[in-house]
């Protein structure tokens, strides 16, 4: 998860491999609620783990439900939910539901009915945007039934309180009217909740206005059926919850991958899986119950080549450029956003209609999409319920606002393929794209960017590198790690490669001057990085690498040309999207001479000796500051005077003496330099 203020995507050019989708948000939250209302235990396989499902789980726990992590069949994740059997265990709770419409609407309905019949007081609230998302039509329907609902803010919007006395009676005889043309979630919420109070007679819901987003209601009906409740409907206008309905746990239920999340990778395949194997998407396929799977048809109409089977899709580029499209998107409201971005790569103007619901989602998505696509250079026309996109005549480097909307962030990532736009080959110049607040993807797809970076390719020269070179104990590693953390970039601690070679040489008893043997060792190093840990030959060695004898030997063997050569290509391989911060001695001079920013870090020998001393003491290692300083200076001399790749600032390096600076201050200085070199406003 990229919990950083912004993420810069370098120009991207290709896509291949396999992605495994996270579980569907819509299915996960419906299943979790149904499992909580049902009698008995339900094992939910592969539920989505995200902000929206977390708030649902927190709410269910607050209501007295038992939620336990469990093992899933294929080694994936699962949750064991102990159902309430339709009986309230807690009669008072304040539930915070973030920005999750799929939690707010059905929980409001269920708790209103439960409070009205069993007694209770429940407050439901969310983030400020949740308090701007309408719920009045649902509240009216529930009030018509006899539920007591108090507006705690603006009438018609959360926050709300639902309350009632035990033994209350509801007016379930007459058909319940509910609006269907603002959000289908009002109908879904009623359908999910009404079986709680339908023991005595059938309950009929009548939809007022044209029902939008029918596929989501279809999911609701399918899942109700899995929990033993067969709702009949006449042309999506009149729904009947049959008398005597009771939620019965299916025992175990599997959550399929999220079809809306699939849309980004379907688009990715259509744009960037060219000249090789298709991009494979696992988790949804031809057997999906989610309406957004129909995005496949729209993508195909724009030029995607798609194969589908149960639980999988394979997508590659068909027509290029893509074909513009005019489409009524009522049936794929969420995935349709992805079409607006595919339109950047199409010939002609794409017109997406019947998307008024975009305006009441996580943000006003029509306005947001229009504003952000224009920044990229596209011509965009928006109307109350449509958007028209014509690709940029000239692309611009853009800073994309995401409006705390996961889909805006995921859509924006597809703009990073601008080097491919309008060209038969992938060799045009490209522009980076800056995505603000990338963390917002956590709503439905916390690992979206990691997953994306796992299947995309870039030209090495497009992937930005920041180099931090300097003498030993100057704080390079700390600075580099902090910069990488702020930018979401990879790190290369090149010293650790020399140290690991030295440690392996000590283990194998190789003489410090046996250049050929040391080079062979370096070339075949069985080395892996697992997070911050360095694994040599399958064992974590991070602590051993910091030993003084290892550092000393590293400095000696680093003077051997064959060893440096052997480690060269290994270092280049660290240059992967979104970017790299590399620290060492020759990062800016030899390994990444084209780095976008080169920092040469210095600090006085006294400062460095004292830092190293503190470091060792804090680890409980005895050390003498005078010896440390002598050793440091000897090592500096060796690094500086060696004939190959000597330690010296690159000509275009910026010097930073951090003797008197804290780590945060140094980071701020370098980030300031970095901002100046980026093409964004
Ligand atoms: O940065 P460090 O102390 O972990 O590096 C260990 C040794 O490796 C150092 O004495 C010099 C050598 N080194 C190098 O020659 N070139 C690099 N890019 C990084 C380290």
């Amino acid at each position: 998860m990229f919990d950083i203020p912004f993420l810069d995507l370098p120009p991207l050019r290709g896509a291949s491999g396999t992605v495994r989708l996270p579980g569907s948000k819509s299915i996960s939250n419906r299943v979790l609620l149904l499992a909580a209302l049902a009698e008995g235990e339900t094992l939910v396989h592969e539920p989505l783990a995200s902000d929206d499902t977390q708030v649902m789980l927190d709410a269910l726990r607050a209501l007295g439900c038992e939620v336990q992590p469990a093992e899933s069949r294929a080694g994936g994740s699962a949750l064991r939910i102990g159902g309430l059997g339709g009986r309230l265990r807690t009669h008072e709770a304040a539930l915070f539901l973030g920005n999750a419409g799929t939690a707010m609407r059905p929980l409001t309905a269920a708790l209103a009915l439960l409070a009205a019949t069993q007694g209770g007081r429940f407050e439901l609230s969310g983030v400020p945007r949740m308090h701007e998302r309408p719920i009045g039509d649902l509240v009216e329907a529930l009030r018509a039934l006899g539920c007591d609902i108090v507006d705690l803010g603006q009438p018609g919007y959360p926050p709300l309180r639902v309350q009632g006395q035990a033994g209350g009676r509801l007016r379930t005889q007459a058909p319940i009217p509910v609006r269907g043309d603002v959000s289908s979630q009002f109908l879904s919420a009623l359908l999910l909740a009404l079986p709680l109070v339908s023991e005595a007679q059938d309950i009929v819901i009548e939809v007022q206005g044209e029902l939008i987003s029918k596929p989501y209601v279809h999911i609701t009906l399918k899942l109700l059926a899995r929990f033993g409740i067969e709702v009949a409907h006449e042309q999506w206008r009149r729904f009947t919850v049959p008398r005597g309905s009771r939620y019965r746990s299916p025992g175990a239920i599997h959550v399929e991958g999220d079809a809306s999340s699939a849309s980004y990778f379907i688009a990715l395949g259509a744009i960037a899986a060219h000249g090789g194997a298709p991009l494979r998407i696992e988790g949804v396929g031809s057997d999906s119950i989610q309406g957004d799977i129909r995005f496949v048809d729209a993508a195909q109409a724009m030029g995607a080549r798609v194969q589908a089977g149960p639980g999988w899709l394979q997508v590659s580029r068909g027509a290029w450029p893509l074909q513009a499209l005019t489409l009524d998107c009522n049936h794929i409201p969420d995935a349709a956003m992805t079409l607006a971005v595919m339109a950047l790569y199409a010939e002609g103007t794409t017109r997406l209609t019947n998307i008024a619901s975009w305006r009441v989602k996580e943000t006003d998505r029509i306005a947001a999409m229009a504003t952000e696509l224009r920044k990229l250079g596209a011509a965009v026309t928006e109307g109350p319920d449509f958007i028209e996109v014509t690709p940029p005549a000239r692309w611009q480097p853009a800073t994309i606002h995401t409006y705390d909307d996961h889909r805006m962030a995921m859509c924006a990532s597809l703009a990073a393929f601008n080097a491919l736009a309008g060209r038969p080959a992938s060799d045009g110049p490209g522009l980076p794209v800056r995505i603000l607040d990338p963390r917002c993807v956590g709503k439905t797809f916390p690992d979206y960017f990691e997953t994306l970076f796992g299947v995309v390719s870039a030209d090495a020269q497009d992937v930005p590198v920041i180099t931090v070179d300097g003498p030993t104990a100057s704080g390079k590693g700390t600075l580099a790690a902090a910069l990488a953390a702020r930018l979401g970039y990879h790190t290369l601690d090149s010293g650790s490669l020399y140290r690991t070679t030295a440690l392996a040489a000590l283990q194998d008893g190789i003489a410090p001057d046996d250049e050929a043997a040391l080079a062979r060792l370096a070339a075949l190093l069985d080395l892996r990085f697992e997070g911050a840990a360095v694994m040599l030959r399958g064992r974590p060695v991070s602590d051993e690498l910091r030993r003084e004898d290892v550092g000393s030997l590293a400095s000696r063997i680093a003077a051997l040309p064959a060893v440096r050569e052997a480690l060269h290509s290994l270092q280049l391989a660290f240059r992967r999207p979104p970017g790299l911060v590399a620290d060492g001695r020759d990062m800016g001079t030899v390994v990444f001479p084209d780095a976008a920013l080169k920092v040469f870090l210095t600090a006085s020998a006294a400062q460095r000796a004292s830092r190293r001393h503190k470091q060792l003491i804090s680890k409980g290692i005895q050390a003498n500051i005078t010896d440390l300083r002598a050793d440091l200076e000897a090592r500096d001399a060796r690094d500086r005077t060696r004939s190959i790749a000597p330690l010296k600032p690159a000509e275009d390096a910026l010097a930073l003496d951090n003797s008197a600076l804290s780590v945060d201050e140094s980071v701020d200085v370098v980030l300031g330099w970095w901002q100046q070199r980026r093409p964004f406003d």
Side-chain angles (χ1 to χ4, degrees), residues 472 476 493-496 498-499 546 551 554-555 558 564 584-587 635 639 642:
T472 204
K476 307 179 296 296
D493 167 6
S494 60
S496 76
Y498 292 94
R499 286 173 182 266
R546 299 321 303 177
S555 158
R564 299 199 80 83
R585 303 295 187 286
D586 61 343
M587 295 297 99
R635 213 182 292 177
D639 290 346
R642 69 184 176 215

Side-chain angles (χ1 to χ4, degrees), residues 289-314:
I289 64 166
Q290 297 167 73
D292 269 357
I293 195 69
R294 295 270 63 83
F295 175 82
V296 167
D297 304 334
Q300 278 174 318
M302 292 191 83
R305 183 168 297 149
V306 184
Q307 284 179 288
W312 61 266
L313 300 166
Q314 290 192 161

Side-chain angles (χ1 to χ4, degrees), residues 468-474 476-477 492-500 545-546 550-559 564 571 583-588 591 612 635-636 638-639 642 644-647:
V468 183
D469 287 308
T472 204
S474 58
K476 307 179 296 296
L492 165 59
D493 167 6
S494 60
S496 76
L497 303 184
Y498 292 94
R499 286 173 182 266
T500 311
L545 294 184
R546 299 321 303 177
V550 174
S552 207
L553 181 58
S555 158
R556 285 184 66 183
I557 65 171
R564 299 199 80 83
Q571 297 176 74
D583 78 88
R585 303 295 187 286
D586 61 343
M587 295 297 99
V591 182
R612 171 74 33 102
R635 213 182 292 177
D636 282 357
R638 196 158 42 223
D639 290 346
R642 69 184 176 215
I644 177 154
L647 170 64

Side-chain angles (χ1 to χ4, degrees), residues 234-533:
E234 292 150 40
Q235 263 103 58
W236 304 97
R237 301 210 63 84
R238 199 181 150 88
F239 293 75
T240 307
V241 178
R243 178 163 58 113
S245 288
R246 284 187 50 206
Y247 306 96
R248 284 192 309 274
S249 166
I253 187 162
H254 179 259
V255 176
E256 60 180 70
D258 196 297
S260 314
S261 300
S263 72
Y264 310 105
F265 293 97
I266 296 168
L268 178 64
I271 294 165
H274 52 97
L279 182 68
R280 187 175 166 89
I281 301 164
E282 293 183 348
V284 286
S286 50
D287 53 345
S288 174
I289 64 166
Q290 297 167 73
D292 269 357
I293 195 69
R294 295 270 63 83
F295 175 82
V296 167
D297 304 334
Q300 278 174 318
M302 292 191 83
R305 183 168 297 149
V306 184
Q307 284 179 288
W312 61 266
L313 300 166
Q314 290 192 161
V315 187
S316 56
R317 187 191 274 184
W320 194 256
L322 298 175
Q323 302 300 310
L325 171 95
T326 294
L327 188 71
D328 178 331
C329 295
N330 189 276
H331 63 303
I332 49 168
D334 285 348
M337 291 176 76
T338 312
L339 295 175
V341 185
M342 286 176 79
L344 298 174
Y345 300 95
E347 193 150 41
T349 298
T350 293
R351 185 177 157 87
L352 308 177
T353 65
N354 209 353
I355 53 168
S357 68
W358 281 24
R359 296 211 182 265
V360 294
K361 298 282 179 148
E362 280 78 346
T363 184
D364 177 341
R365 287 176 166 171
I366 295 183
M369 187 63 83
T371 306
E372 302 310 312
L373 295 186
R374 281 185 196 125
K375 286 185 189 165
L376 292 161
V380 185
T381 309
E382 60 165 298
D385 63 349
F386 73 88
I387 192 166
E388 276 180 9
V389 182
T390 310
R394 258 193 65 186
W395 287 75
Q396 322 275 357
T399 298
I400 304 291
H401 274 271
T402 48
Y403 307 85
D404 203 14
D405 183 351
H406 53 138
R407 300 205 185 287
M408 286 301 295
M410 294 190 277
C411 278
S413 68
L414 296 171
F417 292 88
N418 54 73
L420 310 181
R423 287 188 189 83
S426 59
D427 53 1
L431 296 169
V433 176
R434 173 166 290 181
I435 298 179
L436 298 181
D437 186 27
R439 203 215 81 92
C440 67
V441 300
K443 190 168 203 287
T444 52
F445 202 155
D447 293 335
Y448 174 74
F449 288 106
E450 290 85 343
T451 307
L452 180 74
F453 294 141
V455 291
V456 296
S457 55
D459 282 358
Q461 81 263 7
D462 284 339
V463 179
V465 179
I466 300 176
T467 59
V468 183
D469 287 308
T472 204
S474 58
K476 307 179 296 296
T478 310
L479 175 63
L483 288 170
R486 275 292 294 277
L487 297 169
Y489 285 3
H490 303 284
T491 52
L492 165 59
D493 167 6
S494 60
S496 76
L497 303 184
Y498 292 94
R499 286 173 182 266
T500 311
T501 308
L503 179 63
L506 288 172
Q507 286 175 354
D508 293 2
I510 299 176
D513 53 0
D514 188 345
E515 185 167 353
L518 288 166
R520 263 197 311 280
L521 186 69
L524 300 173
L525 220 48
D526 172 10
L527 177 66
R528 270 182 304 121
F529 292 84
E530 290 182 2

Side-chain angles (χ1 to χ4, degrees), residues 29-260:
N29 268 356
R30 283 169 174 78
V31 164
L32 293 175
L33 180 67
L34 287 167
L37 297 176
E39 205 145 319
E41 205 174 75
T42 307
L43 188 58
V44 182
H45 290 282
E46 313 284 343
L48 172 64
S50 77
D51 296 349
D52 275 13
T53 52
Q54 192 56 50
V55 292
M56 176 63 101
L57 287 171
D58 291 346
L60 297 180
R61 283 199 185 95
L63 294 171
C65 249
E66 271 184 47
V67 180
Q68 298 291 344
E71 275 276 309
S72 186
R73 286 170 295 233
S77 67
L79 290 172
R80 198 179 294 284
I81 312 282
L84 299 172
R87 303 292 314 164
L88 277 176
R89 268 183 215 158
T90 308
H91 293 264
E92 225 172 297
L95 308 177
F96 175 77
L97 303 173
N99 198 6
T102 55
M104 178 61 78
R105 279 72 178 256
L107 279 169
T108 297
L111 290 173
L113 297 177
L114 289 169
T117 49
Q118 297 174 26
R121 259 168 89 90
F122 302 96
E123 285 187 14
L124 301 99
S125 66
V127 298
R129 174 63 188 167
M130 188 79 242
H131 299 170
E132 295 169 8
R133 296 176 67 184
I135 196 168
D137 296 320
L138 175 62
V139 168
E140 284 317 313
L142 291 165
R143 282 185 180 142
L145 271 163
C147 295
D148 184 0
I149 303 178
V150 181
D151 296 305
L152 298 177
Q154 206 191 335
Y157 298 85
L160 302 167
R161 186 170 63 236
V162 300
Q163 58 192 21
Q165 303 293 329
R169 296 190 62 84
L170 293 169
R171 296 185 286 276
T172 47
Q173 302 81 358
I176 304 162
V178 68
R179 287 270 299 269
D181 53 355
V182 174
S183 167
S184 67
Q185 284 186 20
F186 303 150
L187 173 60
S188 275
L190 287 175
L191 289 169
L192 289 167
L194 283 171
L196 285 168
V197 293
S198 68
E199 61 284 349
Q201 83 281 316
D202 287 0
I203 305 183
V204 175
I205 309 173
E206 275 178 1
V207 178
Q208 320 264 285
E210 177 72 11
L211 178 61
I212 61 167
S213 316
K214 289 192 188 84
Y216 285 103
V217 179
H218 178 71
I219 294 180
T220 304
L221 298 185
K222 280 268 191 195
L223 295 177
L224 278 165
R226 292 295 307 277
F227 281 82
I229 296 164
E230 299 287 347
V231 174
H233 71 89
E234 292 150 40
Q235 263 103 58
W236 304 97
R237 301 210 63 84
R238 199 181 150 88
F239 293 75
T240 307
V241 178
R243 178 163 58 113
S245 288
R246 284 187 50 206
Y247 306 96
R248 284 192 309 274
S249 166
I253 187 162
H254 179 259
V255 176
E256 60 180 70
D258 196 297
S260 314

